[in-house]
Amino acid sequence: MTAIVSVQQLEKTYEGGFEALKKVSLDIEEGEILALLGPNGAGKTTLISTICGMVSPTGGHVKVGGYDIIDEFRETRRLIGLVPQEINLEPFERVLNTVRFSRGLFGKPRNDARIEQILRQLSLWDKKDARIMELSGGMKRRVLIAKALSHDPRVLFLDEPTAGVDVELRKDMWEIVRGLKKDGVTIILTTHYIEEAEAIADRVGVISGGEILLVKEKDALMSQMGRKELSIELQTPIDAIPPALKTYDLSLAKEGRVVIYSYDTGAERTGITQLLGDLAQAGLVLKDVSTHQSSLEDIFVGLVEDAR
């Protein structure tokens, strides 16, 4: 696939010497959903703001749709839609006028049919004549998305789009994002909700301390770095792992009533069959067995801790 956003060796150092971005390189493919994960202060918002032309880089280069973000600012900005973290809308303006005005800011001719289409897509059409101040927080976020889509961008940046939104509305937002992808929009979202990345992203990027730690396809990342745990509940609790089982990666839980076996999901052999046999030989009687797959959150936490 073709990279619609290309970031090469991007740097941002603020007055006082703080390095917000440290030689960040990242290619974002056309038509994909990329989730950018990172703790607070990792550089997520700085990266987005720089690509969108709101923050001046200290070094490096960024191109959007083949245009340089500095030398060809107007061309790149027309290709980009941005939904910021903060809700900053004119409270007394009506929804329809707010979105229509945003389209005009980008020099696009008036197109009421297109604005209606966007508002219907975001379940806002019945609120078109409502003032912004009359809307719920979730509806205001939808208005922000409508504003960002009003000039038909090819790339949409969502900076913490579901922050402060309840679980039900968050899932509605995920459906909106999936629908935008079907329309051919490339989507980059920053989030601290791990389940958000698991639910909708094609690829996952992890950023910490202004550096990109990795960018991988979500499924490949979980397959490559994920681990499974086999929980073996015993009929009778034990105080310690028997010496005959020391060669296995075992630990005790729940006051000796559960034996935990960790194994690599990508390994050719799990060793479970041999383990169960050795448990019986060691005189341990099994009551129940269950497995747990490590989540993207487990992987993320491990990566960030390793980077510190």
Side-chain angles (χ1 to χ4, degrees):
M1 297 180 70
T2 305
I4 191 168
V5 177
S6 181
V7 180
Q8 301 298 324
Q9 298 291 298
L10 189 65
E11 298 178 341
K12 178 59 184 178
T13 303
Y14 287 98
E15 289 185 14
F18 174 68
E19 292 182 282
L21 297 174
K22 304 172 184 176
K23 296 186 181 300
V24 171
S25 292
L26 174 65
D27 282 340
I28 300 167
E29 298 175 353
E30 189 164 13
E32 76 168 324
I33 300 176
L34 174 70
L36 196 59
L37 301 175
N40 291 334
K44 302 187 301 293
T45 298
T46 302
L47 178 58
I48 283 182
S49 299
T50 304
I51 296 172
C52 293
M54 298 160 54
V55 171
S56 298
T58 308
H61 304 278
V62 179
K63 288 189 175 183
V64 179
Y67 297 105
D68 186 88
I69 62 165
I70 296 176
D71 297 337
E72 299 163 299
F73 172 77
R74 291 184 181 277
E75 288 81 358
T76 58
R77 197 63 186 88
R78 287 192 188 101
L79 296 174
I80 292 173
L82 171 64
V83 180
Q85 230 180 94
E86 301 297 326
I87 297 177
N88 188 12
L89 297 165
E90 172 52 54
F92 295 100
E93 190 53 270
R94 300 187 188 278
V95 170
L96 182 60
N97 291 338
T98 296
V99 179
R100 185 185 285 156
F101 179 71
S102 289
R103 181 176 176 86
L105 283 177
F106 287 88
K108 290 278 189 173
R110 180 165 171 166
N111 188 336
D112 288 344
R114 176 57 180 148
I115 297 301
E116 178 180 345
Q117 182 183 19
I118 291 171
L119 293 178
R120 288 189 182 279
Q121 184 180 11
L122 296 169
S123 301
L124 284 170
W125 184 244
D126 62 336
K127 302 287 186 182
K128 67 181 186 301
D129 296 320
R131 298 185 190 278
I132 298 297
M133 62 188 294
E134 299 169 350
L135 302 179
S136 67
M139 284 296 174
K140 288 176 183 176
R141 289 207 175 273
R142 290 174 189 248
V143 173
L144 287 176
I145 295 175
K147 280 167 57 68
L149 293 173
S150 64
H151 63 287
D152 298 316
R154 291 172 58 194
V155 181
L156 181 65
F157 288 93
L158 302 169
D159 196 4
E160 301 281 0
T162 59
V165 171
D166 62 49
V167 174
E168 185 175 346
L169 187 53
R170 191 180 307 159
K171 291 181 178 178
D172 287 344
M173 289 286 194
W174 296 350
E175 288 304 314
I176 290 169
V177 170
R178 291 189 186 103
L180 294 173
K181 180 186 175 179
K182 288 180 181 178
D183 291 340
V185 180
T186 301
I187 299 160
I188 300 93
L189 65 93
T190 68
T191 181
H192 60 269
Y193 295 117
I194 306 295
E195 70 270 23
E196 197 152 66
E198 285 188 299
I200 61 176
D202 298 310
R203 289 197 300 160
V204 174
V206 178
I207 185 171
S208 181
E211 297 180 283
I212 296 286
L213 303 184
L214 65 76
V215 180
K216 280 186 174 289
E217 289 186 10
K218 176 186 63 182
D219 294 340
L221 174 64
M222 296 187 70
S223 174
Q224 178 181 337
M225 303 187 70
R227 291 181 65 82
K228 269 192 175 180
E229 287 184 348
L230 181 72
S231 295
I232 304 165
E233 187 177 356
L234 304 175
Q235 289 279 9
T236 304
I238 58 176
D239 296 325
I241 301 294
L245 302 174
K246 292 294 186 181
T247 57
Y248 294 98
D249 184 7
L250 301 178
S251 60
L252 285 178
K254 297 184 179 179
E255 299 178 343
R257 288 181 286 111
V258 175
V259 175
I260 305 294
Y261 172 53
S262 296
Y263 59 96
D264 188 347
T265 58
E268 187 175 334
R269 294 178 181 273
T270 63
I272 292 176
T273 303
Q274 183 67 43
L275 170 63
L276 295 179
D278 289 344
L279 285 168
Q281 284 193 0
L284 304 182
V285 181
L286 280 58
K287 182 178 180 181
D288 194 15
V289 176
S290 61
T291 60
H292 167 71
Q293 171 76 51
S294 62
S295 68
L296 190 57
E297 181 171 10
D298 301 324
I299 298 168
F300 167 71
V301 171
L303 285 168
V304 173
E305 287 181 348
D306 289 345
R308 288 175 178 168

